[in-house]
């Protein structure tokens, strides 16, 4: 337990070149209701942003019993940025929050409550997109694709294999305290470090739980361009995890992805063709047409093919 004057909770926010987004994230963290007597420190780790993140945080004042500071380093990737915050954290519980998250007032308190229920665990919450400014067929398709709502399970902690780091919490004195670095910092592509940590947690028998009732908004606008770039990055992350840490292939989900894109088959050949630069460009244009509502019932097929082609290109790259 924390001693007098030390924080109970540390919030680590890694950021890189997202001054507007991180300001919104920090504001939402500072509005949190963590309960009486809970002391909180917030560490923003600026991973070498062109414009220092501290410039965007001028004027933000933490509540009584809280502290806020920025730690700046040369650009090394999101895993290394999270590790910097983890090393410097003084709280019993460390909550990692991505710099494009908007927390609800109860988000941090629910992370704390989850650890009281299941000590020694790693907990991660749900990250739906913020309400979108405009509804269209593509937005509806993405929201349906990323929905994790599951009725009564909304109020349970569900055992999980693969983590999501949008907002994830660990205990400083728990099983992960044996590691000086929580995330592997030799990978540069987001998602890659999540697979590596997922494998290490599983290999060491550290329980991991998904908490659908712990929610923070993913503060991004859904559009074809950004979603396809995200799919490309996710594919690269999967390949990077498998290449630099092949032990991660013990994870069934990752092994299935890599096998699917390596195994010689007609399906793989089709994705190779669709993932070529020319075909990806054509599919993206078709998805844009569908986004405008001009493809009718064919729109979901165009969206799926385009997303799959960009993901496959990321894996192969």
């Amino acid at each position: 337990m924390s001693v007098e004057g030390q924080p109970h909770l540390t919030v680590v926010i890694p950021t890189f070149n997202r001054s507007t987004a991180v300001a919104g994230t920090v504001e939402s963290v500072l509005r949190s209701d963590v309960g009486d007597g809970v002391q909180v420190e917030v560490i923003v780790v600026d991973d070498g942003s062109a414009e220092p993140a501290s410039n965007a945080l001028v004027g933000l004042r933490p509540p009584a019993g809280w502290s806020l500071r920025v730690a700046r380093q040369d650009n090394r990737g999101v895993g290394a940025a999270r590790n910097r915050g983890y090393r410097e954290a003084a709280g019993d519980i460390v909550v990692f929050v991505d710099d494009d998250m908007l927390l609800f007032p109860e988000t941090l308190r629910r992370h704390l409550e989850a650890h009281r229920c299941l000590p020694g665990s790693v907990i991660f919450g749900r990250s739906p997109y913020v309400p979108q400014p405009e509804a269209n067929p593509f937005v509806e398709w993405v929201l349906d694709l990323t929905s994790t709502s599951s009725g009564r399970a909304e109020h349970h902690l569900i055992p999980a294999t693969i983590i999501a780091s949008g907002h994830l919490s660990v205990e400083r004195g728990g099983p992960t305290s044996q590691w000086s670095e929580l995330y592997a910092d030799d990978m540069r592509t987001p998602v890659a470090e999540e697979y590596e940590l997922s494998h290490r947690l599983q290999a060491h028998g550290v329980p991991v739980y998904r908490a659908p009732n712990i929610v923070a908004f993913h503060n991004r606008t859904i559009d074809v361009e950004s979603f396809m770039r995200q799919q490309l990055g996710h594919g690269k992350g999967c390949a990077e995890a498998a290449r630099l840490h092949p032990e991660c292939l013990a994870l069934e989900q990752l092994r299935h992805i890599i096998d699917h894109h390596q195994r010689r088959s007609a399906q793989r050949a089709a994705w190779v063709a669709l993932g070529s630069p020319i075909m990806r460009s054509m599919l993206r244009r078709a998805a844009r047409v569908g986004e405008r509502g001009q493809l009718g019932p064919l729109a979901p097929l165009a969206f799926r093919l385009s997303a799959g082609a960009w993901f496959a290109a990321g894996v192969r790259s």
Side-chain angles (χ1 to χ4, degrees), residues 24-257:
T25 297
V26 173
E27 285 181 16
S28 74
V29 169
L30 297 180
R31 290 195 298 267
S32 297
D33 176 12
V34 292
D36 295 337
V38 177
Q39 300 177 48
V40 182
E41 68 170 350
V42 182
I43 304 174
V44 177
V45 182
D46 182 351
D47 192 36
S49 300
E51 178 186 352
S54 56
N55 293 350
L57 306 180
V58 172
L60 295 183
R61 296 291 179 264
W66 290 49
S67 65
L68 168 64
R69 64 185 175 89
V70 177
R72 184 171 169 85
Q73 64 182 29
D74 293 337
N75 180 254
R76 296 180 57 206
V78 67
R82 291 195 187 109
N83 285 335
R84 170 77 180 271
Y86 184 70
R87 287 195 303 270
E88 298 186 10
D92 297 323
I93 306 295
V94 179
V95 183
F96 296 95
V97 177
D98 281 355
D99 64 357
D100 59 354
M101 291 286 131
L102 295 177
L103 274 60
F104 286 86
E106 67 275 13
T107 302
L108 294 180
R109 186 179 73 249
R110 288 186 172 177
H111 272 282
L112 289 171
E113 291 169 350
H115 284 280
R116 293 189 188 111
C117 291
L118 293 167
S121 300
V122 172
I123 310 289
F124 67 94
R126 187 163 57 92
S127 304
Y129 284 96
V130 293
Q132 296 296 298
E134 178 183 353
N136 61 55
F138 185 71
V139 167
E140 293 172 0
W141 180 79
V142 172
L143 292 178
D144 183 64
L145 182 72
T146 56
S147 173
T148 57
S149 179
S150 53
R152 290 191 305 169
E154 289 287 330
H155 303 288
H156 293 293
L157 292 165
I158 303 168
T161 303
I162 306 298
I163 64 162
S165 295
H167 53 111
L168 174 146
S169 56
V170 301
E171 298 171 19
R172 287 288 294 172
T176 60
S177 62
Q178 62 188 295
W179 305 325
S180 59
E181 307 287 357
L182 186 67
Y183 286 85
D185 60 8
D186 59 343
M187 294 179 287
R188 306 285 300 188
T189 309
V191 173
E193 85 287 354
E194 293 182 337
Y195 278 113
E196 192 282 331
L197 178 56
S198 296
H199 171 262
R200 194 155 23 100
L201 291 169
Q202 187 178 81
H204 286 80
V206 180
V208 178
Y209 292 91
R210 178 172 64 88
N213 69 321
I214 306 179
V215 183
F217 274 138
H218 192 183
N219 188 22
R220 289 194 178 187
T221 301
I222 300 171
D223 60 74
V224 168
E225 290 292 329
S226 62
F227 190 79
M228 297 310 157
R229 286 196 302 270
Q230 183 185 64
Q231 291 303 299
L232 181 71
H234 283 181
K236 287 181 178 180
C238 291
E240 188 171 332
R243 180 170 57 86
L244 295 183
H245 290 271
E247 69 274 10
C248 294
L249 291 170
L251 294 168
E252 182 180 354
Q253 295 91 328
L254 181 62
R255 186 173 67 252
H256 173 77
I257 290 169

Side-chain angles (χ1 to χ4, degrees), residues 259-272:
D259 285 350
H260 178 74
H261 288 89
Q262 285 184 332
R263 186 171 52 246
R264 294 187 177 278
S265 66
Q267 188 177 32
R268 174 184 177 276
W271 283 119
V272 168

Side-chain angles (χ1 to χ4, degrees), residues 136-142 224 227-228 282-308:
N136 61 55
F138 185 71
V139 167
E140 293 172 0
W141 180 79
V142 172
V224 168
F227 190 79
M228 297 310 157
M282 292 175 62
L283 287 169
R284 183 173 55 188
R285 285 198 293 269
R288 288 199 201 111
V289 173
E291 186 179 35
R292 296 193 294 269
Q294 298 173 355
L295 281 182
L298 293 178
L301 176 61
F303 301 152
R304 185 173 67 83
L305 288 175
S306 185

